[in-house]
Amino acid sequence: MMVFKRLADLGGWIALGLFAGMAPVQAADVVTTKNIGLELANQIAMASVEACRKDGYQVSAVVVDRNGNLRSAMRDDLAARFTLQIAQEKANMVVMSGLKSGEFRKLRADIRPELNHIDGLIVMEGGVPITAAGLRIGAIGVSGAPGGDKDEVCAMKALESVQERLDFAE
Amino acid sequence: MMVFKRLADLGGWIALGLFAGMAPVQAADVVTTKNIGLELANQIAMASVEACRKDGYQVSAVVVDRNGNLRSAMRDDLAARFTLQIAQEKANMVVMSGLKSGEFRKLRADIRPELNHIDGLIVMEGGVPITAAGLRIGAIGVSGAPGGDKDEVCAMKALESVQERLDFAE
Amino acid sequence: MMVFKRLADLGGWIALGLFAGMAPVQAADVVTTKNIGLELANQIAMASVEACRKDGYQVSAVVVDRNGNLRSAMRDDLAARFTLQIAQEKANMVVMSGLKSGEFRKLRADIRPELNHIDGLIVMEGGVPITAAGLRIGAIGVSGAPGGDKDEVCAMKALESVQERLDFAE
Amino acid sequence: MMVFKRLADLGGWIALGLFAGMAPVQAADVVTTKNIGLELANQIAMASVEACRKDGYQVSAVVVDRNGNLRSAMRDDLAARFTLQIAQEKANMVVMSGLKSGEFRKLRADIRPELNHIDGLIVMEGGVPITAAGLRIGAIGVSGAPGGDKDEVCAMKALESVQERLDFAE
Amino acid sequence: MMVFKRLADLGGWIALGLFAGMAPVQAADVVTTKNIGLELANQIAMASVEACRKDGYQVSAVVVDRNGNLRSAMRDDLAARFTLQIAQEKANMVVMSGLKSGEFRKLRADIRPELNHIDGLIVMEGGVPITAAGLRIGAIGVSGAPGGDKDEVCAMKALESVQERLDFAE
Amino acid sequence: MMVFKRLADLGGWIALGLFAGMAPVQAADVVTTKNIGLELANQIAMASVEACRKDGYQVSAVVVDRNGNLRSAMRDDLAARFTLQIAQEKANMVVMSGLKSGEFRKLRADIRPELNHIDGLIVMEGGVPITAAGLRIGAIGVSGAPGGDKDEVCAMKALESVQERLDFAE
Amino acid sequence: MMVFKRLADLGGWIALGLFAGMAPVQAADVVTTKNIGLELANQIAMASVEACRKDGYQVSAVVVDRNGNLRSAMRDDLAARFTLQIAQEKANMVVMSGLKSGEFRKLRADIRPELNHIDGLIVMEGGVPITAAGLRIGAIGVSGAPGGDKDEVCAMKALESVQERLDFAE
Amino acid sequence: MMVFKRLADLGGWIALGLFAGMAPVQAADVVTTKNIGLELANQIAMASVEACRKDGYQVSAVVVDRNGNLRSAMRDDLAARFTLQIAQEKANMVVMSGLKSGEFRKLRADIRPELNHIDGLIVMEGGVPITAAGLRIGAIGVSGAPGGDKDEVCAMKALESVQERLDFAE
């Protein structure tokens, strides 16, 4: 089975494809991947919406699987329809980079204008990896709070609320 | 407040815009509309997915509000990514026609090819209106079961499961 | 100045480009065209909406100029957002064919599937030419009534209501 | 009924989703919203065009409802066709941010490049909220004057011309 | 681990979502899927091109993984650029239906017009599932031969040429 | 050098990819192709426009090279803007099929609906191959005359007018 | 008849919509506009290509009419296919601004990022107005030379070559 | 036959269209071009993927022909789906500029924002020309390594591995 780990060392060479750091040279004919299930995706999306509500914000939250395909999307009652696209593309940015979208934004300002042009990507804060048993199984993106940092807080709170479930997922 | 009702008589002249049958000639400066809330939308989407699972199918389910803007979208673990777009456009077809998308498909074969071309619409069975206290507040679309009739069954079961909540929604 | 007239004889060979029937072989360096003004466009769009309201329907009405560029668009309070695109593309179909979109639909069923694919066109009833002093200066498209025939009636009533203004436009 | 107010304090944390500041944590099953009616939308769009004409400019003016769906669009006789998209996306920027698009542009330069990439949004001056009885019921965007500040002036004059109507709208 | 099998019985109710027939009602938090590796994908794509060359045709061949994301695409020297999109969308049609695209086309003529409208799908013969050890791990689509039946023959020959590798893939 | 010829025998198996009938099984590392030059393309496009003017029609004419990339496009003074896309996609249909688009339309009604969906293609009469010294070097598409047969006549007249030039092109 | 002049004074307030500076407050029901004819458009496009060839560059040249609709497009033999879109959008930028696209780029750096996002526009040097008898009747855009300044030189030379024709056009 | 050479002198005026530097003023009716063959394209793409694997990265590699039409595309097992578009657009950037995409990026920062907006182009490092016997016959783009410089290294290694084949290609 093919596995990739989130590397600890981000110093100096963080970039697109980081997540591929430990891929083997010789690929197998069949690749086994682990992906987030629907119930867990829904749980994380709704917990993000609720965390933002507690902070007084109405947001959209979107969970994509590790291939960057949508799994769960929710738009709160007063969140503008545009927040759905933003949330989804923040989550995809995590799939692309292997990092929180906010971290990536800080590390790679040089290619931020270009990646914004790629279909399905936006380089904004508020996307966070979903990791289970050491494997990234998807990503959550949040949009609508007053500032991407606040979006990210909601996503992080949501992940904390399911931490045990993530630790023991299999 | 402006209200529209689902007409009982569909004989002979069913068409686009039917739902507008009782609109007043003089519009007000402010229009009050009632729309589905997020929790209810999530409930209906997930109940549709679960109803299909019981029948042995993996589907996507999408709830849109009465303006045809997405509220909740869920893709089951093995449902193809294409089912999301199909489910959403079935739900939008309900918003457009005021009818189940399957009913509309039967009644208006004459414009089925054209409406398939309009952004966000597809004329397939499996979209159902969500009605609360006599008002349409949104629509649910399901895609992925072997046949649009089976998709619709899942959507109908989901609505039945929240019928009381819909009856007393305010 | 280059002028084109709406030909009376439609028998047997009606088609794309009919409207070009009297164009000179040698084009001038500068082509003078007459186009609908904004106030007149607004008047026709709103009169279409109001005519449909009297019939009990909520519609969108779109006026394009004779180049097929949008001049005025209005969506009634309960008309679905999808009706805007439909109304605009019906009007464009008039620009393309020189005929009522419903007439064209009847005469050219052979290329109806293909024209539906062209950006900005849809082959549905409900688009009507706007003619001033014998010259086509634009087109109106209506969508949302229960049937394209009913959409067309609203457009025709609107044009009748400004007939004198059209006759004496200059 | 769910209500949101435009907050007075913009200091330091103005951002996406600001408008959601007072949303309740527990959403209702049915959300009641108030939206601009067509006649009022037309009035504001045309008044914007006329205000710009008085200043010597030809513009497009677009009114969207509070969901960011188009309600009324008008392009003046000599305004370039591109101004329609610009005007609409300025209005949508108001729906997204809850602020004048020019204010938002000044406050959030950090995410201006990204939001320009989102479908239907552009971060330019010239979009203004439409507020009735303390509730935002839509937005007006203007494009075509020599400078977004001049576009905004036309929109503001238009709103002033219907102020009483807005105050007493219900 | 979640597994789906290609069902033998196709009589009477073949449809979208068939492949989901054995999915469990209760989804797990983490879904394990098996996907085609790059070398195998390349092998199948090139073998399809070569099989068609032997028959005298120049084609494009595209392999997608089981999520419908592109893995390998090849356009032969004289194949028109349009064949790439066709080949890819045929392969995606397999992902959507779980069947050869030609089989699906025959069984579901009723929804063929609609599915042609969905992004990434086309209902044409020439797409074939790639199955390893009883699991579908991807799909191959071929376009450019004179007739979809001929495209399919090339794809089938390619799969035969790697049959042993598929049987023992893990 | 790789060469393909237009086959004489079209009986019974005409299809996509016909043009590839004589391609070698082993491709070379470098493929030499012959393509239409700009002056010749302009000549053919303008001659098509003029031929149609003589017949009383205003059209668009588009020449693409043998890769289906645009070389020359012209829209006559009163031709609707939509005719440009139609003319271009007719020409591309020739690149795809190796046949007159009208011939292909007759021979392959079975896949006409699907090919209309492919980006850049439309299955309408009025596209004609441009052949020089036995090699197809591009294609011309015409749109705007009352009927695709009339469009094709204009294209054919244009090709005749440059026949000698085509025969001796090198 | 409605006429607009290119203003001499560009000092300090150059902007979108400048060209509308002398539009009357009260619009007429019918607007008469003067537009470039096809032969003249072809002449200017080809002269631009030839001017660039003399300088050693292969370019695309596109002429649009004063509504920003394409009239003539030519791509030289070795010009990349991407230059066609660039040339067209430069020409449209002239339609939008009333200025040379290079002048506009210098004057309005503040909205350059946003206008690049509008469909059909790009803020690059190399677009030039086509003016006949004091009226702007279209625009020419050139792309492919090593630098927009060089593109503009080719366009200017082309216009000079038809200056007399422009002066006496009617 | 028309030939273009990569100029040695890049000093001071490097730009779009450089590659056209030696084009003749009078074009021929038929243009002969040399293009990369499929097997060679596959070889270069796969060698790029393998070179990156050796460095520990998972990437996509795309080879386009000299017209900027796709010839071969490969996505490694763990490379994000977004890397395919990026790799293709880097390769196209080479077709557009005649230079390594990274060189172009450095030389023409002034138009980098605009070219990012053109369909099919992105101004990022990692695209490299493929040159055979002194003629550019295509381009390779790589995406997914941690930094465009690393992507370029993989592409360069791939080209070196086929250098002899390129030198003797005909």
Side-chain angles (χ1 to χ4, degrees), chain C:
Chain C
M1 204 196 68
M2 212 150 288
V3 172
F4 74 91
K5 290 201 172 56
R6 184 146 167 266
L7 301 189
D9 180 2
L10 303 176
W13 55 282
I14 292 305
L16 297 180
L18 173 72
F19 60 91
M22 308 188 77
V25 169
Q26 178 59 38
D29 280 359
V30 175
V31 186
T32 304
T33 52
K34 291 190 176 290
N35 241 321
I36 190 167
L38 177 59
E39 272 83 354
L40 183 53
N42 281 340
Q43 180 83 7
I44 293 171
M46 195 60 209
S48 299
V49 169
E50 286 171 342
C52 271
R53 278 185 192 168
K54 280 185 193 138
D55 293 340
Y57 315 125
Q58 292 251 324
V59 300
S60 285
V62 175
V63 172
V64 300
D65 64 20
R66 57 150 294 158
N67 307 307
N69 294 327
L70 193 145
R71 180 53 55 98
S72 176
M74 299 177 183
R75 182 169 62 88
D76 209 351
D77 296 337
L78 297 178
R81 65 183 172 87
F82 310 102
T83 53
L84 272 170
Q85 183 186 351
I86 300 173
Q88 183 170 3
E89 300 198 352
K90 286 177 178 181
N92 281 341
M93 196 60 241
V94 175
V95 171
M96 176 68 189
S97 69
L99 302 174
K100 283 183 185 178
S101 61
E103 281 182 298
F104 183 83
R105 182 176 154 108
K106 276 177 209 132
L107 288 162
R108 294 306 304 272
D110 58 330
I111 54 173
R112 181 183 145 203
E114 277 73 29
L115 292 189
N116 283 334
H117 280 276
I118 302 305
D119 297 343
L121 297 183
I122 200 83
V123 189
M124 294 178 84
E125 200 174 6
V128 180
I130 303 174
T131 308
L135 294 172
R136 196 181 64 221
I137 58 172
I140 166 87
V142 175
S143 169
D149 54 336
K150 290 177 183 61
D151 291 318
E152 189 184 301
V153 165
C154 302
M156 292 304 291
K157 282 184 189 164
L159 289 175
E160 284 162 24
S161 74
V162 296
Q163 191 59 51
E164 199 170 355
R165 198 165 161 185
L166 286 168
D167 289 342
F168 292 94
E170 175 224 13

Side-chain angles (χ1 to χ4, degrees), chain B residues 77-104:
Chain B
D77 296 338
L78 296 178
R81 65 182 172 87
F82 311 102
T83 52
L84 272 170
Q85 183 187 350
I86 300 173
Q88 183 170 5
E89 300 199 352
K90 286 177 177 180
N92 281 341
M93 195 61 241
V94 175
V95 170
M96 177 66 189
S97 69
L99 303 175
K100 284 183 183 178
S101 61
E103 281 182 298
F104 183 83

Side-chain angles (χ1 to χ4, degrees), chain A residues 50 53-59 76-83 85-86 89-90 105 112-113 116-117 122-124 143-148 150-151, chain D residues 2 4 13 15-28 31 66-69 92 95-96 108 110-111 113-115 117-121:
Chain A
E50 285 170 343
R53 278 186 192 165
K54 279 185 195 138
D55 293 340
Y57 315 127
Q58 292 251 323
V59 299
D76 208 352
D77 296 338
L78 297 178
R81 64 183 173 88
F82 311 101
T83 52
Q85 182 186 350
I86 300 172
E89 301 199 351
K90 287 177 177 179
R105 182 177 154 108
R112 181 181 146 203
N116 283 333
H117 280 274
I122 200 82
V123 189
M124 295 177 83
S143 169
K150 291 177 182 61
D151 291 317
Chain D
M2 212 150 288
F4 73 91
W13 54 281
L16 297 180
L18 172 71
F19 59 91
M22 308 188 78
V25 169
Q26 178 59 38
V31 186
R66 55 151 295 160
N67 307 306
N69 294 327
N92 282 340
V95 170
M96 176 69 189
R108 294 305 304 268
D110 58 332
I111 54 174
E114 278 73 30
L115 291 188
H117 280 274
I118 301 304
D119 296 343
L121 297 183

Side-chain angles (χ1 to χ4, degrees), chain G residues 67-118:
Chain G
N67 308 305
N69 294 326
L70 193 145
R71 181 54 54 99
S72 176
M74 300 177 183
R75 181 169 63 89
D76 209 351
D77 296 337
L78 296 178
R81 65 182 173 89
F82 311 102
T83 54
L84 272 171
Q85 182 187 350
I86 300 173
Q88 183 170 3
E89 301 198 351
K90 287 177 177 179
N92 281 340
M93 196 60 241
V94 176
V95 170
M96 176 69 190
S97 69
L99 303 174
K100 283 182 183 178
S101 61
E103 282 183 298
F104 183 82
R105 182 177 153 108
K106 275 176 210 132
L107 288 162
R108 295 304 305 269
D110 58 332
I111 54 173
R112 182 182 146 204
E114 279 72 31
L115 292 189
N116 283 334
H117 280 274
I118 302 303

Side-chain angles (χ1 to χ4, degrees), chain G residues 10-106:
Chain G
L10 302 176
W13 55 281
I14 291 304
L16 297 179
L18 172 72
F19 60 90
M22 307 188 79
V25 168
Q26 177 60 37
D29 280 358
V30 174
V31 185
T32 303
T33 52
K34 292 191 176 290
N35 240 319
I36 190 168
L38 177 59
E39 273 82 353
L40 183 53
N42 281 340
Q43 180 83 6
I44 293 171
M46 194 60 209
S48 300
V49 169
E50 286 170 341
C52 271
R53 280 184 190 167
K54 280 184 193 136
D55 293 340
Y57 315 125
Q58 292 250 324
V59 300
S60 286
V62 175
V63 172
V64 299
D65 65 20
R66 56 150 295 160
N67 308 305
N69 294 326
L70 193 145
R71 181 54 54 99
S72 176
M74 300 177 183
R75 181 169 63 89
D76 209 351
D77 296 337
L78 296 178
R81 65 182 173 89
F82 311 102
T83 54
L84 272 171
Q85 182 187 350
I86 300 173
Q88 183 170 3
E89 301 198 351
K90 287 177 177 179
N92 281 340
M93 196 60 241
V94 176
V95 170
M96 176 69 190
S97 69
L99 303 174
K100 283 182 183 178
S101 61
E103 282 183 298
F104 183 82
R105 182 177 153 108
K106 275 176 210 132

Side-chain angles (χ1 to χ4, degrees), chain E residues 42-65:
Chain E
N42 280 341
Q43 180 84 5
I44 294 171
M46 195 59 208
S48 299
V49 169
E50 287 170 342
C52 270
R53 279 184 191 167
K54 279 182 195 142
D55 293 339
Y57 314 126
Q58 291 252 325
V59 301
S60 286
V62 175
V63 172
V64 300
D65 64 20

